[in-house]
Amino acid sequence: MQKTATLVTRINRFTTVLGGLAIALMMLHITADVAGRYLFNTSLPGTITIVSNYYMVVAVFLPLALAEEEDAHISVEVFTAGLGETGQRIIAIITLFVSLAVCMLFTGKTWEEAIRQMESGAAVLQGNSTVTIWPSNFLLPIGFGLMVIVLIIKLIGYLSRSARSPFLPDFTRLDPVENFND
């Protein structure tokens, strides 16, 4: 399990770096577009389409799994923080099952849509330019698929009650008084 978790972590870190690079490229692309518009009275063709269909998709969906792995998603522990380790563990298992079901559904549906978009050769006409957008549709099932893998690893850890299973939180850090003061 540890080798699998290490491989998944490496993949997740790589996809997160890709997300960061997409943000940097998006910034440069938009800057070049604005500079071209004001300095040369012409903008880069397809900027809005490329930003919204490529850079944003990479930046949002590829890092999802690492955020889940590191428990970096937004959570509110008002009611669960006082439950103790057993109560928190039960809530975590239920949440993981629901998250897993939803992410598996999203993975399947986004894969089906990506195939449909590829077969139709989806593209967007922006100004005088046509920008092919179907390849970016495959990034969604990749991001959700990686999240499914992380959720499965976490769920196995919770169900096996492994003390040092990868990706599992330390419930002792969930003291509501201590976290309130942070």
Side-chain angles (χ1 to χ4, degrees), residues 89-153:
R89 198 175 190 82
I90 291 168
I91 296 293
I93 290 169
I94 292 168
T95 303
L96 284 171
F97 270 118
V98 171
S99 298
L100 182 60
V102 169
C103 286
M104 288 174 73
L105 178 69
F106 284 175
T107 302
K109 291 299 182 182
T110 57
W111 178 259
E112 290 171 7
E113 183 60 25
I115 295 294
R116 269 195 297 279
Q117 294 289 325
M118 181 184 70
E119 290 171 348
S120 70
V124 172
L125 182 63
Q126 183 180 348
N128 296 330
S129 302
T130 301
V131 180
T132 303
I133 61 166
W134 66 262
S136 67
N137 286 284
F138 285 98
L139 297 171
L140 279 75
I142 290 170
F144 283 120
L146 288 170
M147 182 118 160
V148 164
I149 293 168
V150 170
L151 291 168
I152 289 170
I153 291 171

Side-chain angles (χ1 to χ4, degrees), residues 14-28 55 58-59 63:
F14 175 73
T15 58
T16 301
V17 167
L18 290 178
L21 288 173
I23 291 171
L25 287 172
M26 178 173 56
M27 179 187 69
L28 292 173
Y55 299 137
V58 170

